[in-house]
Amino acid sequence: KETIDPAEDTFRADFPDSMDIKISNRCPNGCPMCHENSTPDGELGKILNNPFIYSLHPYTEIALGGGEAVLHPDFIPFLTECKELELIPNVTTNQNTFMKLHGMLRELYDTKKLYGLGVSLVDPTPEFIEVVQTFPNAVVHVLNGLVSIEQLEVLKDKELKILVLGYKTFRRGEQLYEVASEEIEAKKDLLYDKLEEIVKDGWFNTISFDNLALQQLGVKRLLSEKEWNEFYMGDDGISGELTSASMYVDLVKNEFARN
């Protein structure tokens, strides 16, 4: 159910149609930019039979993350539970984990326990590209300020989808920025300058951005007003009024954010 605010001519959803859900703060990768401060002995969320999950409406799209969500010991039983509740789960995993467990992920995908798959790029090797191409709903995640133009050139023209995420300067991300700010800002500038070519020349089947990357890269400059209104999914409640029907939930701490 949705209503229109007559003063703003804006859809106001009565409940979220999608959300990011953190299910684990445990991760073996130790990425230096991790804004979650995930560690190999990080805390796990109690996700099975969680009352919150049972409160969701059928067909809610949920993006599972961490930490390394796919290594949660209850990950597969949780996906089975989600299927019974008619939810639409997606998951983000690190490239290293993906390459080790892509067979398991393929089985979950084929049995419709898992839909979308986000893979955080580490190194665009030929082996990685070959495997990720076999997942129709896979999206390669890259981080503005860390991904290089050379890496994107390796990925171009491979019929891939990518998501550009903004660089977050908090937790380990802040620590890394303190020692590598010049390099990070230089890579941001290079991507800013190259973005128009990437978009117009169709390097990727789909290129998308989180709200922070939209700001950092000035994506709006590349679109007409009509295109922006068609594709933009709403303010996130941080840098603008909350207008999207999405939210963030941390099942490790049992907390939720405005979005």
Side-chain angles (χ1 to χ4, degrees):
K1 178 185 175 182
E2 291 183 323
T3 56
I4 297 179
D5 184 333
E8 300 184 19
D9 194 27
T10 301
F11 278 107
R12 296 290 179 180
D14 289 342
F15 53 86
D17 57 27
S18 67
M19 61 181 62
D20 290 302
I21 300 181
K22 179 178 179 178
I23 64 172
S24 170
N25 204 37
R26 185 173 298 178
C27 180
N29 292 297
C31 299
M33 81 297 288
C34 179
H35 61 270
E36 297 292 342
N37 277 353
S38 298
T39 61
D41 60 350
E43 190 176 356
L44 298 170
K46 296 178 181 179
I47 57 177
L48 289 183
N49 300 309
N50 190 296
F52 172 76
I53 295 298
Y54 280 79
S55 75
L56 301 182
H57 289 248
Y59 312 114
T60 301
E61 185 174 1
I62 56 175
L64 305 175
E68 185 54 271
V70 302
L71 296 181
H72 192 298
D74 293 327
F75 179 63
I76 295 178
F78 178 70
L79 292 183
T80 301
E81 195 174 83
C82 289
K83 185 175 182 180
E84 293 171 354
L85 295 171
E86 298 183 290
L87 303 177
I88 304 174
N90 311 303
V91 71
T92 299
T93 184
N94 182 274
Q95 177 184 332
N96 295 328
T97 307
F98 168 74
M99 292 302 291
K100 294 175 183 176
L101 298 179
H102 63 81
M104 177 196 78
L105 293 168
R106 165 62 69 179
E107 183 177 354
L108 292 170
Y109 177 82
D110 289 342
T111 56
K112 298 190 183 302
K113 292 181 179 178
L114 186 65
Y115 290 83
L117 178 67
V119 185
S120 298
L121 183 71
V122 177
D123 181 19
T125 63
E127 294 79 12
F128 166 67
I129 294 172
E130 181 179 358
V131 175
V132 80
Q133 284 175 326
T134 68
F135 286 79
N137 288 349
V139 179
V140 179
H141 291 195
V142 299
L143 194 59
N144 184 35
L146 294 185
V147 68
S148 67
I149 300 301
E150 291 75 17
Q151 287 176 316
L152 293 175
E153 287 175 336
V154 173
L155 294 172
K156 70 179 283 194
D157 300 328
K158 301 294 193 304
E159 297 187 349
L160 296 174
K161 304 171 186 175
I162 71 164
L163 167 64
V164 184
L165 301 166
Y167 189 93
K168 299 178 177 66
T169 51
F170 53 90
R171 301 192 180 102
R172 289 211 299 266
E174 181 179 16
Q175 297 169 18
L176 178 62
Y177 190 82
E178 288 176 354
V179 299
S181 60
E182 288 189 13
E183 180 180 353
I184 290 169
E185 290 300 326
K187 286 183 176 178
K188 283 184 184 179
D189 291 341
L190 287 171
L191 184 52
Y192 184 98
D193 293 337
K194 194 76 170 179
L195 188 58
E196 183 173 11
E197 176 186 338
I198 292 172
V199 172
K200 289 190 174 181
D201 290 353
W203 286 24
F204 307 102
N205 280 10
T206 302
I207 179 169
S208 50
F209 309 84
D210 71 357
N211 283 47
L212 185 57
L214 288 175
Q215 296 172 18
Q216 292 176 352
L217 293 169
V219 176
K220 193 172 184 178
R221 66 194 160 97
L222 305 178
L223 302 173
S224 67
E225 184 176 357
K226 179 180 178 182
E227 289 171 326
W228 178 262
N229 292 334
E230 178 181 355
F231 292 117
Y232 183 56
M233 295 182 67
D235 293 343
D236 57 13
I238 299 172
S239 56
E241 182 185 1
L242 177 61
T243 57
S244 65
S246 182
M247 65 182 296
Y248 171 78
V249 177
D250 185 336
L251 288 186
V252 178
K253 296 182 178 180
N254 282 312
E255 296 175 345
F256 67 91
R258 292 178 63 190
N259 189 308

